[in-house]
Amino acid sequence: MDTITLTDIHFLGILQLASPALPVGAYSYSEGLETLVEDGIIANQETLKHWLTSELRYGAIRLEAAVMLRAAESAKMGNLETLSYWNHWLSAARETQELRNSSWQMGRSLAQLLGKLQPELLPTINSVGNPCNYAIAFGIAVAHWQIHLNAALLAYLHSWTSNLITAGVKLIPLGQTAGQALLLDLQPLISATLQEILVLEDDELSCCSWGLSLASMQHETQYTRLFRS
């Protein structure tokens, strides 16, 4: 990874964006984990690690993170047409209604928060159109707060991983120490995934996420749920 130099204000900005306290509702989604736990596919720390490893290597989170980078670059250059394009592209890439709705809900919440915190962002936010995906709103904040793209991508992937580990801790269940051990184990993979995403060309944006799609579709009709459908 290239050397990253962050001022205090930029570092605080990315901490705020990646914080679990950010009121966007990420904690209410399990991205299919709830179905997988009920079906016995994920039953312990090792099987949760295998699932998250597969998602980081091949799954939809790679697409989402790559589009977040493109949104940040578009917003930084003031290219609102391209920003809107990637928002529509990401919506079309979602394979289930549940995954699309979660991205839209979180994007709407973050966009509204940014509009209140930084009213000067409203023209950019409004240019994207409604609904706005979470990755797009995140990218807009990254550009406005002048956060280094490597740091932004690392925070985005870490936040996603941490959120799903938290879901796994509740669902399996696992102890908090086991969850933190898993997060530590995945750090090298998160760093490697960052390097791969950084060099992806537009025509290389693809993923293998049929397992996630099937779990997401089944979650909608699951009899009991802790997480939002």
Side-chain angles (χ1 to χ4, degrees), residues 55-72:
E55 286 299 298
L56 285 167
R57 285 179 174 165
Y58 314 112
I61 182 58
R62 297 170 66 89
L63 281 184
E64 186 176 322
V67 171
M68 184 277 292
L69 290 181
R70 285 156 174 76

Side-chain angles (χ1 to χ4, degrees), residues 106-217:
M106 290 171 59
R108 179 172 61 252
S109 296
L110 181 53
Q112 290 175 348
L113 177 64
L114 291 173
K116 292 176 181 178
L117 295 177
Q118 312 264 216
E120 64 271 25
L121 280 175
L122 285 173
T124 302
I125 293 170
N126 292 336
S127 74
V128 172
N130 187 31
C132 174
N133 285 282
Y134 176 66
I136 302 298
F138 195 101
I140 291 172
V142 166
H144 186 71
W145 291 344
Q146 301 178 34
I147 296 168
H148 194 289
L149 292 182
N150 287 36
L153 180 55
L154 194 63
Y156 195 89
L157 293 172
H158 182 274
S159 178
W160 175 87
T161 306
S162 179
N163 185 66
L164 289 190
I165 288 176
T166 299
V169 166
K170 295 176 182 177
L171 290 165
I172 293 173
L174 296 174
Q176 295 290 340
T177 300
Q180 288 301 306
L182 178 53
L183 186 60
L184 186 63
D185 286 345
L186 289 173
Q187 284 183 1
L189 178 58
I190 292 173
S191 180
T193 301
L194 174 147
Q195 295 296 334
E196 294 171 2
I197 294 173
L198 282 173
V199 297
L200 285 176
E201 301 291 340
D202 291 353
D203 59 2
E204 295 177 319
L205 296 182
S206 63
C207 65
C208 179
S209 58
W210 56 268
L212 169 62
S213 301
L214 290 173
S216 174
M217 287 186 283

